[in-house]
Amino acid sequence: AQSVTQPDIHITVSEGASLELRCNYSYGATPYLFWYVQSPGQGLQLLLKYFSGDTLVQGIKGFEAEFKRSQSSFNLRKPSVHWSDAAEYFCAVTVGNEKLTFGTGTRLTIIP
Amino acid sequence: EAGVAQSPRYKIIEKRQSVAFWCNPISGHATLYWYQQILGQGPKLLIQFQNNGVVDDSQLPKDRFSAERLKGVDSTLKIQPAKLEDSAVYLCASSLDREGEQYFGPGTRLTVT
């Protein structure tokens, strides 16, 4: 069965510093990969997705992610975080019409 | 464009009571999803509808959970009777079709005491 691992439960970053959130998946075929953000009391918002093609994908709010097939990873990055980026971030995986499988999430705290 | 609407936003009930959640998807979206998000975990799909038909309910605890989407638009999710472990946020999402981007509602936070 497909699975998604987000090894970091909680990350604290200073405002203006760079950010990288890790995501690893386990699946035989190349899956479709997603990153979602969830602010307190809100639903999930799609940041970016990878289906095929260029392995570096750009998303909203200045985020990007890179698909690395050899490492089965899809890490999320941002060069300079803002206080408003504090939220929970979820990586998700699917193949074709199968259901989305989410990771357990990484909570991001921003300090001044 | 209006987003996915859910109500209520919060609900507190005692165990063994029943509860119902309502979802209104984005207009024109054929596919509707209900997810359960337990604290500290990612969302888990409970049931997926395509119009008014069920596509996947393999993770729905059918002895106590039920869901319907009678006219292919709004949907309700019911729990009867509730257990303590049902405490979670219940998220509704919709997409144009089964392969489309999913748009999530704000969720209903259920606390079972």
Side-chain angles (χ1 to χ4, degrees):
Chain A
Q2 61 192 20
S3 66
V4 184
T5 302
Q6 293 183 248
D8 304 305
I9 296 174
H10 184 204
I11 284 183
T12 299
V13 177
S14 297
E15 189 168 15
S18 64
L19 170 71
E20 183 168 23
L21 302 182
R22 296 183 291 166
C23 173
N24 293 94
Y25 66 90
S26 173
Y27 199 82
T30 299
Y32 300 155
L33 299 155
F34 305 79
W35 274 100
Y36 287 86
V37 61
Q38 185 177 34
S39 298
Q42 303 295 314
L44 281 75
Q45 181 183 22
L46 181 66
L47 287 175
L48 47 78
K49 60 189 175 186
Y50 173 78
F51 284 1
S52 64
D54 191 349
T55 56
L56 183 63
V57 294
Q58 302 296 321
I60 62 171
K61 303 185 180 186
F63 285 92
E64 67 177 26
E66 185 171 12
F67 169 59
K68 293 186 177 179
R69 184 189 307 274
S70 61
Q71 299 177 18
S72 297
S73 69
F74 188 57
N75 294 349
L76 182 71
R77 300 193 296 249
K78 186 169 185 178
S80 176
V81 298
H82 186 263
W83 64 265
S84 60
D85 293 325
E88 188 100 21
Y89 291 80
F90 292 93
C91 182
V93 172
T94 187
V95 174
N97 287 327
E98 292 186 17
K99 59 180 177 289
L100 268 180
T101 298
F102 286 85
T104 51
T106 297
R107 183 161 60 94
L108 176 65
T109 298
I110 308 295
I111 56 176
Chain B
E1 176 182 87
V4 176
Q6 291 187 247
S7 67
R9 292 295 309 275
Y10 306 91
K11 189 73 176 180
I12 300 174
I13 61 172
E14 295 181 352
K15 59 184 178 183
R16 292 188 289 274
Q17 286 186 323
S18 63
V19 64
F21 312 129
W22 173 82
C23 173
N24 182 234
I26 293 174
S27 177
H29 280 196
T31 312
L32 186 146
Y33 312 79
W34 282 103
Y35 289 87
Q36 180 191 58
Q37 185 178 17
I38 293 174
L39 186 65
Q41 299 181 20
K44 180 184 79 172
L45 180 69
L46 292 176
I47 189 167
Q48 177 183 344
F49 291 94
Q50 180 68 18
N51 296 307
N52 61 352
V54 175
V55 174
D56 184 348
D57 63 357
S58 58
Q59 299 190 106
L60 185 75
K62 299 180 186 63
D63 58 333
R64 299 183 300 106
F65 285 64
S66 65
E68 59 183 14
R69 194 185 185 201
L70 290 176
K71 296 183 179 179
V73 181
D74 293 6
S75 177
T76 56
L77 176 69
K78 298 179 182 177
I79 308 175
Q80 181 179 13
K83 293 184 175 181
L84 295 177
E85 58 261 37
D86 298 332
S87 294
V89 175
Y90 291 85
L91 296 166
C92 180
S94 71
S95 60
L96 271 175
D97 52 41
R98 291 175 63 178
E99 296 183 354
E101 176 183 340
Q102 295 186 32
Y103 294 83
F104 285 81
T108 296
R109 181 176 297 277
L110 173 67
T111 302
V112 182
T113 63

Coordinates of all heavy atoms in Angstrom, one line a residue, chain B residues 30-93:
Chain B
A30 N -18.7 17.4 -9.3 CA -19.4 16.2 -9.3 C -18.9 15.2 -8.2 O -19.6 14.4 -7.7 CB -19.2 15.5 -10.6
T31 N -17.7 15.4 -7.8 CA -17.1 14.5 -6.8 C -17.0 15.2 -5.4 O -16.6 16.4 -5.3 CB -15.7 14.1 -7.2 OG1 -15.7 13.7 -8.6 CG2 -15.2 12.9 -6.4
L32 N -17.5 14.4 -4.4 CA -17.5 14.9 -3.0 C -16.8 13.9 -2.1 O -17.0 12.7 -2.3 CB -18.9 15.2 -2.6 CG -19.2 15.9 -1.2 CD1 -20.4 16.8 -1.3 CD2 -19.3 14.9 -0.1
Y33 N -16.0 14.4 -1.2 CA -15.3 13.6 -0.2 C -15.6 14.0 1.2 O -15.7 15.2 1.5 CB -13.8 13.8 -0.5 CG -13.3 13.7 -1.9 CD1 -13.5 14.8 -2.7 CD2 -12.7 12.6 -2.4 CE1 -13.0 14.8 -4.0 CE2 -12.2 12.6 -3.7 CZ -12.4 13.7 -4.5 OH -11.9 13.7 -5.8
W34 N -15.6 13.0 2.1 CA -15.6 13.2 3.5 C -14.3 12.6 4.1 O -14.0 11.4 3.8 CB -16.8 12.6 4.2 CG -18.1 13.3 4.1 CD1 -19.1 13.0 3.2 CD2 -18.5 14.5 4.8 NE1 -20.2 13.9 3.4 CE2 -19.8 14.8 4.4 CE3 -17.9 15.2 5.8 CZ2 -20.5 15.9 4.9 CZ3 -18.6 16.3 6.3 CH2 -19.9 16.6 5.9
Y35 N -13.6 13.4 4.9 CA -12.4 13.0 5.5 C -12.6 13.1 7.0 O -13.2 14.0 7.5 CB -11.2 13.8 5.1 CG -10.7 13.7 3.7 CD1 -11.3 14.4 2.7 CD2 -9.7 12.8 3.4 CE1 -10.8 14.3 1.4 CE2 -9.2 12.6 2.1 CZ -9.7 13.4 1.1 OH -9.3 13.2 -0.2
Q36 N -11.9 12.2 7.7 CA -11.7 12.3 9.2 C -10.3 12.7 9.5 O -9.4 12.0 9.1 CB -12.1 11.0 9.9 CG -12.0 11.0 11.4 CD -12.1 9.6 12.0 OE1 -11.3 8.7 11.6 NE2 -13.1 9.4 12.8
Q37 N -10.1 13.8 10.3 CA -8.7 14.2 10.7 C -8.6 14.1 12.2 O -9.1 15.0 12.9 CB -8.4 15.5 10.2 CG -7.0 15.9 10.4 CD -6.6 17.3 9.9 OE1 -7.5 18.1 9.5 NE2 -5.3 17.6 9.7
I38 N -8.0 13.1 12.8 CA -7.8 13.0 14.2 C -6.6 13.8 14.5 O -5.6 14.0 13.8 CB -7.6 11.5 14.6 CG1 -8.9 10.7 14.3 CG2 -7.1 11.3 16.0 CD1 -8.8 9.2 14.5
L39 N -6.6 14.4 15.7 CA -5.5 15.3 16.2 C -4.2 14.7 16.0 O -4.0 13.5 16.5 CB -5.8 15.7 17.6 CG -4.8 16.8 18.2 CD1 -5.0 18.1 17.5 CD2 -5.1 16.9 19.7
G40 N -3.3 15.4 15.3 CA -1.9 14.9 15.2 C -1.7 13.9 14.0 O -0.7 13.4 13.8
Q41 N -2.8 13.8 13.2 CA -2.7 12.9 12.0 C -3.2 13.7 10.8 O -3.8 14.7 10.8 CB -3.6 11.7 12.2 CG -3.2 10.8 13.4 CD -4.1 9.6 13.5 OE1 -4.8 9.2 12.6 NE2 -4.1 9.0 14.7
G42 N -2.9 13.1 9.6 CA -3.4 13.7 8.4 C -4.8 13.2 8.1 O -5.3 12.3 8.8
P43 N -5.5 13.9 7.2 CA -6.9 13.5 6.9 C -6.9 12.1 6.3 O -6.0 11.7 5.6 CB -7.3 14.5 5.9 CG -6.4 15.7 6.1 CD -5.1 15.1 6.5
K44 N -8.0 11.3 6.7 CA -8.2 10.0 6.2 C -9.6 10.0 5.5 O -10.6 10.4 6.0 CB -8.2 9.0 7.3 CG -8.4 7.5 6.9 CD -8.5 6.6 8.0 CE -9.9 6.6 8.7 NZ -10.1 5.6 9.7
L45 N -9.6 9.5 4.2 CA -10.8 9.4 3.5 C -11.8 8.5 4.1 O -11.5 7.3 4.3 CB -10.5 9.0 2.0 CG -11.8 9.0 1.1 CD1 -12.3 10.4 0.9 CD2 -11.4 8.3 -0.2
L46 N -13.0 9.0 4.3 CA -14.1 8.1 4.8 C -14.9 7.6 3.7 O -15.3 6.4 3.6 CB -15.0 8.8 5.8 CG -14.3 9.2 7.2 CD1 -15.3 10.0 8.0 CD2 -13.9 7.9 7.9
I47 N -15.3 8.5 2.8 CA -16.2 8.2 1.7 C -16.1 9.2 0.6 O -15.8 10.3 0.8 CB -17.7 8.1 2.2 CG1 -18.6 7.5 1.1 CG2 -18.2 9.4 2.6 CD1 -20.0 7.1 1.6
Q48 N -16.2 8.7 -0.7 CA -16.1 9.5 -1.9 C -17.4 9.2 -2.7 O -17.7 8.1 -3.0 CB -14.9 9.1 -2.7 CG -14.7 9.9 -4.0 CD -13.5 9.5 -4.8 OE1 -12.6 8.9 -4.2 NE2 -13.5 9.8 -6.0
F49 N -18.0 10.3 -3.1 CA -19.2 10.3 -4.0 C -18.8 10.8 -5.4 O -18.1 11.7 -5.5 CB -20.3 11.1 -3.5 CG -21.0 10.6 -2.2 CD1 -20.6 11.1 -1.0 CD2 -22.0 9.7 -2.2 CE1 -21.2 10.7 0.2 CE2 -22.6 9.3 -1.1 CZ -22.2 9.8 0.2
Q50 N -19.4 10.2 -6.4 CA -19.4 10.7 -7.7 C -20.8 11.0 -8.1 O -21.6 10.0 -8.2 CB -18.7 9.7 -8.7 CG -18.7 10.2 -10.2 CD -17.7 11.4 -10.3 OE1 -16.8 11.6 -9.5 NE2 -17.9 12.1 -11.4
N51 N -21.2 12.2 -8.2 CA -22.6 12.6 -8.2 C -23.3 12.0 -7.0 O -22.9 12.3 -5.9 CB -23.2 12.2 -9.6 CG -22.5 13.0 -10.7 OD1 -22.5 14.2 -10.7 ND2 -22.1 12.2 -11.7
N52 N -24.3 11.2 -7.2 CA -25.0 10.7 -6.0 C -24.6 9.2 -5.7 O -25.2 8.6 -4.9 CB -26.5 10.9 -6.1 CG -27.1 10.1 -7.3 OD1 -26.3 9.6 -8.1 ND2 -28.4 10.1 -7.4
G53 N -23.6 8.7 -6.4 CA -23.2 7.3 -6.2 C -21.9 7.3 -5.4 O -21.0 8.1 -5.5
V54 N -21.8 6.2 -4.6 CA -20.6 6.0 -3.8 C -19.5 5.3 -4.6 O -19.7 4.3 -5.3 CB -20.9 5.1 -2.6 CG1 -19.6 4.8 -1.8 CG2 -21.9 5.7 -1.7
V55 N -18.3 6.0 -4.6 CA -17.1 5.4 -5.3 C -16.2 4.6 -4.4 O -15.7 3.6 -4.8 CB -16.3 6.6 -5.9 CG1 -15.0 6.1 -6.6 CG2 -17.1 7.4 -7.0
D56 N -16.0 5.1 -3.2 CA -15.1 4.4 -2.3 C -15.6 4.7 -0.8 O -15.7 5.9 -0.4 CB -13.7 5.0 -2.4 CG -12.7 4.2 -1.6 OD1 -13.1 3.5 -0.6 OD2 -11.5 4.4 -1.8
D57 N -16.0 3.7 -0.1 CA -16.4 3.8 1.3 C -15.7 2.7 2.1 O -16.1 2.3 3.1 CB -17.9 3.8 1.5 CG -18.5 2.4 1.1 OD1 -17.7 1.6 0.6 OD2 -19.7 2.2 1.3
S58 N -14.5 2.3 1.6 CA -13.8 1.2 2.2 C -13.3 1.5 3.6 O -13.1 0.6 4.4 CB -12.6 0.8 1.4 OG -11.7 1.9 1.1
Q59 N -13.1 2.8 4.0 CA -12.6 3.2 5.3 C -13.7 3.8 6.2 O -13.4 4.3 7.2 CB -11.4 4.1 5.2 CG -10.2 3.5 4.5 CD -9.0 4.3 4.5 OE1 -8.0 4.0 5.3 NE2 -8.9 5.4 3.8
L60 N -15.0 3.6 5.8 CA -16.1 4.1 6.5 C -16.5 3.1 7.5 O -16.9 2.0 7.1 CB -17.2 4.5 5.6 CG -18.4 5.2 6.3 CD1 -18.1 6.6 6.6 CD2 -19.6 5.2 5.3
P61 N -16.6 3.3 8.8 CA -17.1 2.4 9.8 C -18.6 2.2 9.7 O -19.3 3.0 10.3 CB -16.6 2.9 11.2 CG -15.7 4.0 10.9 CD -16.0 4.5 9.5
K62 N -19.0 1.3 8.9 CA -20.4 1.3 8.5 C -21.4 0.9 9.6 O -22.6 1.0 9.4 CB -20.6 0.4 7.3 CG -19.8 0.8 6.1 CD -20.0 -0.1 4.9 CE -19.1 0.3 3.7 NZ -17.6 0.2 4.0
D63 N -20.8 0.4 10.7 CA -21.7 0.0 11.8 C -22.3 1.3 12.5 O -23.3 1.2 13.2 CB -21.0 -0.9 12.8 CG -19.8 -0.3 13.4 OD1 -19.1 0.6 12.7 OD2 -19.4 -0.6 14.5
R64 N -21.6 2.4 12.3 CA -22.0 3.6 13.0 C -22.0 4.8 12.2 O -22.6 5.8 12.5 CB -21.1 3.8 14.2 CG -21.1 2.7 15.3 CD -20.2 3.1 16.5 NE -18.8 3.3 16.1 CZ -18.3 4.5 16.1 NH1 -19.0 5.6 16.4 NH2 -17.0 4.6 15.8
F65 N -21.3 4.8 11.1 CA -21.2 6.0 10.2 C -22.1 5.7 8.9 O -22.1 4.6 8.4 CB -19.8 6.2 9.7 CG -18.9 6.8 10.8 CD1 -18.6 6.2 11.9 CD2 -18.3 8.1 10.6 CE1 -17.7 6.7 12.9 CE2 -17.5 8.7 11.5 CZ -17.2 8.0 12.7
S66 N -22.8 6.8 8.5 CA -23.5 6.7 7.2 C -23.4 8.1 6.5 O -23.2 9.1 7.2 CB -24.9 6.3 7.4 OG -25.6 7.3 8.2
A67 N -23.5 8.1 5.2 CA -23.4 9.3 4.5 C -24.3 9.2 3.3 O -24.5 8.1 2.7 CB -22.0 9.6 4.0
E68 N -24.8 10.3 2.8 CA -25.7 10.3 1.7 C -25.5 11.6 0.9 O -25.1 12.6 1.4 CB -27.1 10.1 2.0 CG -27.7 11.1 2.9 CD -29.2 10.8 3.3 OE1 -29.6 9.7 3.1 OE2 -29.9 11.7 3.8
R69 N -25.8 11.5 -0.4 CA -25.7 12.7 -1.3 C -26.9 12.4 -2.3 O -26.6 12.2 -3.5 CB -24.4 12.7 -2.0 CG -24.1 14.1 -2.7 CD -22.8 14.1 -3.5 NE -22.6 15.4 -4.0 CZ -21.7 15.6 -5.0 NH1 -21.1 14.6 -5.6 NH2 -21.5 16.8 -5.5
L70 N -28.1 12.6 -1.8 CA -29.3 12.2 -2.5 C -29.4 12.8 -3.9 O -29.8 12.2 -4.9 CB -30.5 12.4 -1.7 CG -30.6 11.5 -0.4 CD1 -31.8 11.8 0.4 CD2 -30.6 10.0 -0.8
K71 N -29.2 14.1 -4.0 CA -29.5 14.8 -5.3 C -28.2 15.1 -6.0 O -28.2 15.9 -6.9 CB -30.3 16.1 -5.0 CG -31.7 15.7 -4.5 CD -32.5 17.0 -4.3 CE -33.9 16.7 -3.8 NZ -34.7 17.9 -3.6
G72 N -27.1 14.6 -5.5 CA -25.8 14.8 -6.2 C -25.2 16.2 -5.9 O -24.3 16.6 -6.6
V73 N -25.7 16.8 -4.9 CA -25.2 18.2 -4.5 C -24.7 18.1 -3.1 O -23.6 17.7 -2.8 CB -26.2 19.3 -4.8 CG1 -25.6 20.6 -4.4 CG2 -26.7 19.3 -6.2
D74 N -25.7 18.5 -2.1 CA -25.3 18.5 -0.7 C -25.1 17.1 -0.2 O -25.6 16.1 -0.8 CB -26.4 19.2 0.1 CG -26.6 20.6 -0.2 OD1 -25.9 21.1 -1.1 OD2 -27.4 21.3 0.5
S75 N -24.4 17.0 0.9 CA -24.2 15.7 1.5 C -24.3 15.8 3.0 O -24.0 16.9 3.6 CB -22.8 15.2 1.1 OG -22.6 13.9 1.8
T76 N -24.7 14.7 3.7 CA -24.7 14.7 5.1 C -23.9 13.4 5.5 O -24.0 12.4 4.9 CB -26.1 14.6 5.7 OG1 -26.8 13.5 5.1 CG2 -26.9 15.9 5.4
L77 N -23.2 13.6 6.6 CA -22.5 12.5 7.3 C -23.0 12.3 8.7 O -23.2 13.3 9.4 CB -21.0 12.8 7.3 CG -20.1 11.8 8.1 CD1 -20.0 10.5 7.3 CD2 -18.7 12.4 8.3
K78 N -23.4 11.1 9.0 CA -24.0 10.9 10.3 C -23.2 9.8 11.1 O -22.7 8.9 10.5 CB -25.5 10.4 10.2 CG -26.4 11.4 9.5 CD -27.8 10.8 9.3 CE -28.7 11.8 8.6 NZ -30.1 11.2 8.4
I79 N -23.2 10.1 12.4 CA -22.6 9.1 13.3 C -23.6 8.7 14.4 O -24.2 9.6 15.0 CB -21.3 9.7 14.0 CG1 -20.3 10.3 13.0 CG2 -20.6 8.6 14.8 CD1 -19.1 11.0 13.7
Q80 N -23.9 7.4 14.5 CA -24.9 7.0 15.5 C -24.6 5.5 15.8 O -24.7 4.6 15.0 CB -26.3 7.1 14.9 CG -27.4 6.7 15.8 CD -28.8 6.8 15.2 OE1 -28.9 7.1 13.9 NE2 -29.8 6.8 16.0
P81 N -24.2 5.2 17.1 CA -23.9 6.1 18.2 C -22.5 6.5 18.1 O -21.6 5.8 17.7 CB -24.2 5.2 19.4 CG -23.8 3.9 18.9 CD -24.2 3.8 17.5
A82 N -22.2 7.7 18.7 CA -20.8 8.2 18.7 C -20.0 7.5 19.8 O -20.5 7.2 20.9 CB -20.8 9.7 18.9
K83 N -18.7 7.4 19.5 CA -17.7 6.9 20.5 C -16.7 7.9 20.8 O -16.5 8.9 20.0 CB -17.0 5.6 20.0 CG -18.0 4.4 19.8 CD -17.1 3.2 19.4 CE -18.0 1.9 19.4 NZ -17.2 0.7 19.0
L84 N -16.0 7.8 21.9 CA -15.0 8.7 22.2 C -13.9 8.9 21.1 O -13.5 10.1 20.9 CB -14.2 8.3 23.5 CG -15.1 8.3 24.8 CD1 -14.3 7.8 26.0 CD2 -15.7 9.7 25.1
E85 N -13.6 7.8 20.5 CA -12.5 7.9 19.4 C -13.0 8.5 18.1 O -12.2 8.7 17.2 CB -12.0 6.5 19.1 CG -13.1 5.5 18.6 CD -13.6 4.6 19.7 OE1 -13.7 5.0 20.9 OE2 -13.8 3.4 19.4
D86 N -14.3 8.9 18.1 CA -14.8 9.7 16.9 C -14.4 11.2 17.0 O -14.7 11.9 16.1 CB -16.3 9.5 16.8 CG -16.7 8.1 16.5 OD1 -15.9 7.3 16.0 OD2 -17.8 7.7 16.9
S87 N -13.9 11.6 18.1 CA -13.5 13.0 18.3 C -12.4 13.3 17.2 O -11.4 12.7 17.2 CB -12.9 13.2 19.7 OG -13.9 13.1 20.7
A88 N -12.7 14.3 16.4 CA -11.9 14.6 15.3 C -12.5 15.8 14.5 O -13.5 16.3 14.9 CB -11.8 13.4 14.3
V89 N -11.7 16.3 13.5 CA -12.3 17.2 12.6 C -12.7 16.5 11.3 O -12.0 15.7 10.8 CB -11.2 18.3 12.2 CG1 -11.8 19.2 11.1 CG2 -10.8 19.1 13.4
Y90 N -14.0 16.8 10.9 CA -14.5 16.1 9.7 C -14.5 17.1 8.6 O -15.2 18.2 8.7 CB -15.9 15.6 10.0 CG -15.8 14.4 11.0 CD1 -15.8 14.6 12.4 CD2 -15.7 13.1 10.5 CE1 -15.6 13.6 13.2 CE2 -15.6 12.0 11.4 CZ -15.5 12.3 12.7 OH -15.4 11.2 13.6
L91 N -13.7 16.8 7.6 CA -13.5 17.7 6.4 C -14.3 17.2 5.2 O -14.3 16.0 4.9 CB -12.0 17.8 6.1 CG -11.1 18.3 7.1 CD1 -9.6 18.0 6.7 CD2 -11.3 19.9 7.2
C92 N -14.9 18.2 4.6 CA -15.6 17.9 3.3 C -14.8 18.5 2.2 O -14.2 19.6 2.4 CB -17.0 18.4 3.3 SG -17.9 18.1 1.8
A93 N -14.7 17.9 1.1 CA -13.9 18.4 -0.1 C -14.7 18.1 -1.3 O -15.5 17.2 -1.3 CB -12.5 17.8 -0.2

